[in-house]
Amino acid sequence: MTAPDSAPLLRPAHPGEGGALFEVTRLSVAGLARGHYSDAQIEGWIGERTPAYYEALIAKGGVVVADLGGVVVGFVDAEPGEITRLFLLPDAAGAGLGRRLLEIGLEAARRGHDGPVKVEATVNAEGFYRRHGFRPIGRGYFSHGVGGDPIAIVKMEL
């Protein structure tokens, strides 16, 4: 990786980066969700996702990546009224990058939408979203899952 004081470039995801998004998701879950979910849930989290799944998200437009020296270290995507995914590599967490990606996700979620913005926060990310003004409105399971065991989430809104 690049020097820690380097600021990542926040830019639209490019076709061909589906594998990078897949790896960010996989490594984020493995590194940041331990202790909040069972080993079996973590192992099955990716479910039937593949790099092609992420390529399809990229093709829709709206995925923004954090690029640090040519390495994708995080990403966010949203749809009107909801931030659907925000993942960081464990080494990139805790330095303000999540907040920057959240701001981008919020801006995208508010385009063409009046009213609260929702997020299905993983149990380990609930504190992050609370610190940024989200409030819990319920519990459930990740509705954007693709196979694998159900993943418990906290439904939140801002």
Side-chain angles (χ1 to χ4, degrees):
M1 276 228 216
T2 308
D5 58 349
S6 297
L9 172 66
L10 300 174
R11 61 165 176 79
H14 299 146
E17 291 184 319
L21 272 59
F22 175 86
E23 282 300 302
V24 167
T25 304
R26 186 182 70 76
L27 294 170
S28 177
V29 168
L32 299 174
R34 292 228 180 261
H36 299 276
Y37 295 95
S38 72
D39 288 343
Q41 285 175 308
I42 288 172
E43 288 173 22
W45 197 299
I46 292 295
E48 297 168 16
R49 287 180 187 87
T50 64
Y53 169 84
Y54 292 95
E55 284 297 330
L57 290 177
I58 292 168
K60 286 185 190 176
V63 177
V64 173
V65 299
D67 177 329
L68 187 60
V71 175
V72 175
V73 297
F75 71 95
V76 65
D77 74 331
E79 54 191 44
E82 183 180 12
I83 295 173
T84 50
R85 290 165 203 84
L86 194 163
F87 288 96
L88 293 173
L89 289 178
D91 289 347
L97 181 56
R99 177 190 50 77
R100 292 175 63 205
L101 287 170
L102 178 61
E103 289 168 356
I104 290 167
L106 281 168
E107 183 180 315
R110 288 181 172 137
R111 268 187 234 120
H113 173 77
D114 291 325
V117 173
K118 298 180 190 246
V119 68
E120 294 182 355
T122 56
V123 175
N124 56 294
E126 179 182 3
F128 167 80
Y129 288 106
R130 280 181 183 265
R131 285 190 301 279
H132 293 92
F134 282 80
R135 64 181 182 81
I137 57 171
R139 299 212 171 251
Y141 294 95
F142 190 51
S143 67
H144 302 287
V146 182
D149 289 340
I151 303 297
I153 54 91
V154 180
K155 296 177 183 183
M156 303 183 83
E157 69 178 22
L158 176 69

